[in-house]
Amino acid sequence: MFLYNFLWLQEDNIAGLHANTHIPLVCGVQNRYELTGDEQSMAMGTFFMDIINSSHSYATGGTSHQEFWTDPKRIATALSAETEESCTTYNMLKVSRYLFKWTKQVTYADYYERALTNGVLGIQRGTEPGVMIYMLPLSPGSSKAKSYHGWGDAFDSFWCCYGTGIESFAKLGDSIYFEQEGKGPGVYIIQYISSTFDWKAGQIVIHQNVDPVVSWDQNLRMALTFTSNKGPGVSSVLNLRIPFWANPNGGKATLNKDNLQIPSPGNFLSVTRAWSPDEKLFIQLPINLRTEAIKDDRPQYASLQAIFYGPYLLAGYSQHDHEIKTGPVKSLSEWITPIPASYNAGLVTFSQKSGNSSLVLMKNQSVTIEPWPAAGTGGDANATFRLIGNDQRPINFTTVKNVISKQVMFEPFDFPGKLLMQQGNNDSLVIANNPGNSVFQVNAGLDGKPDTVSLESVSRKGCFVFSDVNLKAGAALKLNCQQPDDGFKQAASFVMQKGISQYHPISFLAKGSNRNYLLAPLLSFRDESYSVYFNITN
């Protein structure tokens, strides 16, 4: 009842209210407008979305902290492992869907895309069906696996967010197409998702095909083709959303071979035609990198920002650190650069056998040998390194033979810019940034096996990366310069294989004076630690 009063009076006074109790009430108010035409109900639903977007939502589009709303524009101190209950995002999609139906405003379609892409798609653990989280953590160094509930179980968990989470993944095709009511047939295409729509009123089947978005080709490309058993359809209009994140310069649209004029972002490209199976409508939208300040008007949080690539919220692999000092730059492209697809060919993992188990060389506080990590746990990122030549050029790894005798450096997958190196009088191996002690020559394995290599220090000839003669998990790696006996040869020989982590197609390098970050879409993270908001200063 309190929320109803606030919305009636158009007051942002929702702090302290339980978010997911009240958002369904807003949906009820919106439904009342649909049933009765009550204009006040429409105004209340619109005002609610306005205050959430302006004062209470995170970069994901989600809202709430520990299930409750905070004071308006005070969310910088509400970032924790218990941020953004999944149910609230599910219900906010309903609120925005109602508003788009009534107004046809692109802003509500943009919100739907933001919340679906960043607040829904990442609450399932990879492609594991039914493995969901309750809250989407947003604090520095968060992990979806380390919130209060963590990942649920497909058969034994049934929190409220399990029901809405599973339903969300069963209705991913919802709200791509909206049919125009009125004089002539028309359809609004508000989400660019590969799909098929059998449009009865237009007497045509619409096939939408969207090319995968990648970081190294900063365009979204979508093509519409048509099929029909009845020949050309009736004259009808297709309206294609031009999202707010699209660069207004460089866009392209064609109908067959004819160029179309693209309107500015925030509008629809409308094309009227009797569509036939031999036609093709193509649109290309340039994608911008951008930052968004957190919704907090206190001066001490003015530099706390999220990084986006088009609709994708980018998170950085991080252990609680989230500082980026850019230096004097004029544009984001000076310190955020795409990671090319070719870099995946240079990713490697090193392992050794211990009985029936495999242990991997892993970056932790030091460099150790550890049990083989499960996929997506974060250990797979720690056990992956990128090969770089001593001339700073990337090296492709196809087989062991093609890297034998090469002098290389090893960059940790999740800590770009740092290198594996020898440090100190005890010959320990660490992750640091002194290139002088980080060059190794890849030799054929001292144990004589065809699939192993031994890593010899270039600055200290005859010294090899060495685990332990009595191999066991947790052993720290170091350089060893002893005369090689059989035990030494085994401890200094590693199986070198393709990296067990790979770069996401949407990956960027964010360069800072203190450290660099590997950025990838938040939706792609499983158990790995990440930061979403960065303190960006110059």
Side-chain angles (χ1 to χ4, degrees):
M1 188 64 181
F2 292 121
L3 178 66
Y4 185 92
N5 293 339
F6 297 149
L7 297 184
W8 182 275
L9 298 172
Q10 296 208 351
E11 294 178 352
D12 184 351
N13 204 4
I14 65 175
L17 296 182
H18 186 264
N20 200 49
T21 299
H22 290 86
I23 302 175
L25 298 180
V26 175
C27 294
V29 168
Q30 291 178 303
N31 193 46
R32 180 170 64 188
Y33 168 71
E34 294 222 322
L35 294 174
T36 68
D38 174 55
E39 294 292 337
Q40 185 63 31
S41 296
M42 180 183 183
M44 291 165 68
T46 303
F47 177 73
F48 176 75
M49 175 60 90
D50 289 345
I51 63 172
I52 293 296
N53 274 339
S54 64
S55 305
H56 297 278
S57 65
Y58 303 101
T60 57
T63 186
S64 79
H65 177 246
Q66 296 180 339
E67 300 192 359
F68 291 83
W69 282 306
T70 60
D71 289 332
K73 295 188 178 179
R74 290 291 186 274
I75 66 173
T77 45
L79 297 175
S80 74
E82 301 302 300
T83 305
E84 186 176 333
E85 184 183 2
S86 299
C87 279
T88 63
T89 311
Y90 164 88
N91 281 313
M92 286 303 299
L93 290 178
K94 291 185 176 181
V95 174
S96 63
R97 186 184 302 122
Y98 275 122
L99 290 170
F100 178 77
K101 285 171 59 181
W102 303 341
T103 68
K104 305 184 186 67
Q105 290 185 16
V106 170
T107 184
Y108 299 123
D110 285 339
Y111 173 84
Y112 195 97
E113 177 184 53
R114 176 193 293 262
L116 176 66
T117 302
N118 305 298
V120 170
L121 294 184
I123 67 170
Q124 178 174 279
R125 191 178 188 276
T127 57
E128 299 176 45
V131 180
M132 305 285 178
I133 53 173
Y134 196 115
M135 303 281 191
L136 181 56
L138 295 178
S139 57
S142 291
S143 169
K144 297 172 186 177
K146 296 178 182 177
S147 60
Y148 176 76
H149 292 86
W151 293 110
D153 182 271
F155 300 102
D156 298 323
S157 301
F158 203 76
W159 319 310
C160 63
C161 291
Y162 245 79
T164 56
I166 291 170
E167 184 179 341
S168 292
F169 280 83
K171 54 190 270 189
L172 295 178
D174 192 8
S175 299
I176 301 174
Y177 305 93
F178 284 78
E179 190 168 14
Q180 170 75 52
E181 295 180 352
K183 298 180 180 179
V187 69
Y188 286 80
I189 302 175
I190 73 163
Q191 303 300 328
Y192 294 127
I193 299 172
S194 293
S195 52
T196 297
F197 175 46
D198 186 357
W199 187 22
K200 305 295 186 186
Q203 298 180 13
I204 204 80
V205 178
I206 301 172
H207 304 275
Q208 181 182 172
N209 183 65
V210 182
D211 290 348
V213 173
V214 296
S215 59
W216 56 88
D217 180 1
Q218 297 182 3
N219 290 281
L220 180 143
R221 295 182 179 87
M222 188 276 291
L224 295 180
T225 56
F226 309 89
T227 57
S228 174
N229 295 325
K230 303 177 181 179
V234 299
S235 180
S236 55
V237 59
L238 296 184
N239 302 283
L240 285 75
R241 175 177 66 108
I242 309 300
F244 80 98
W245 48 257
N247 190 327
N249 301 314
K252 179 182 179 181
T254 59
L255 175 59
N256 304 321
K257 295 183 179 181
D258 297 327
N259 292 326
L260 302 175
Q261 183 68 37
I262 298 181
S264 59
N267 293 283
F268 284 96
L269 169 63
S270 299
V271 185
T272 302
R273 197 172 186 85
W275 301 95
S276 61
D278 60 345
E279 294 185 306
K280 181 178 181 179
L281 179 58
F282 171 82
I283 189 168
Q284 175 179 296
L285 300 174
I287 302 175
N288 272 341
L289 279 164
R290 69 182 190 283
T291 59
E292 287 186 5
I294 196 166
K295 291 182 172 62
D296 198 304
D297 57 9
R298 292 171 287 185
Q300 62 266 41
Y301 301 110
S303 57
L304 203 58
Q305 300 178 66
I307 302 172
F308 279 86
Y309 177 61
Y312 296 96
L313 174 59
L314 301 177
Y317 286 80
S318 165
Q319 299 290 335
H320 301 292
D321 44 343
H322 65 296
E323 304 284 335
I324 300 180
K325 293 189 176 182
T326 65
V329 294
K330 296 180 180 179
S331 67
L332 292 180
S333 60
E334 292 184 45
W335 61 275
I336 303 178
T337 55
I339 291 178
S342 60
Y343 273 23
N344 278 318
L347 297 176
V348 295
T349 292
F350 296 94
S351 64
Q352 291 180 323
K353 281 285 187 181
S354 176
N356 295 324
S357 301
S358 288
L359 302 179
V360 297
L361 188 155
M362 188 176 292
K363 171 193 72 63
N364 291 303
Q365 295 298 320
S366 58
V367 181
T368 58
I369 197 84
E370 301 291 350
W372 196 274
T377 57
D380 49 356
N382 291 339
T384 302
F385 297 81
R386 185 169 74 93
L387 293 178
I388 305 172
N390 59 0
D391 57 359
Q392 300 293 327
R393 293 182 181 180
I395 293 177
N396 291 343
F397 170 71
T398 53
T399 66
V400 168
K401 289 182 179 180
N402 86 303
V403 294
I404 294 296
S405 300
K406 281 187 167 60
Q407 293 186 358
V408 303
M409 297 182 288
F410 301 99
E411 178 186 79
F413 173 83
D414 57 348
F415 215 144
K418 300 295 184 180
L419 297 168
L420 174 69
M421 59 172 286
Q422 175 270 329
Q423 186 179 67
N425 295 327
N426 62 356
D427 293 323
S428 60
L429 290 179
V430 297
I431 302 299
N433 56 1
N434 180 359
N437 294 327
S438 59
V439 182
F440 298 86
Q441 180 161 304
V442 182
N443 296 328
L446 295 178
D447 62 1
K449 296 179 180 179
D451 60 345
T452 63
V453 298
S454 294
L455 306 176
E456 181 182 10
S457 171
V458 169
S459 61
R460 298 182 62 189
K461 289 292 185 181
C463 299
F464 292 84
V465 174
F466 180 90
S467 57
D468 199 300
V469 172
N470 299 311
L471 184 61
K472 58 182 179 180
L477 275 75
K478 58 184 179 180
L479 283 187
N480 195 319
C481 309
Q482 298 174 9
Q483 283 296 109
D485 55 19
D486 288 344
F488 180 98
K489 291 177 181 178
Q490 181 176 345
S493 299
F494 298 85
V495 174
M496 185 177 181
Q497 64 188 69
K498 180 181 178 181
I500 53 179
S501 279
Q502 295 281 289
Y503 295 112
H504 190 277
I506 303 173
S507 289
F508 290 86
L509 172 64
K511 299 176 183 178
S513 57
N514 290 344
R515 64 154 293 182
N516 300 334
Y517 293 89
L518 171 62
L519 304 179
L522 176 61
L523 63 87
S524 68
F525 283 77
R526 288 175 285 181
D527 301 355
E528 306 94 338
S529 295
Y530 60 83
S531 293
V532 166
Y533 284 102
F534 295 91
N535 187 34
I536 301 174
T537 60
N538 57 17

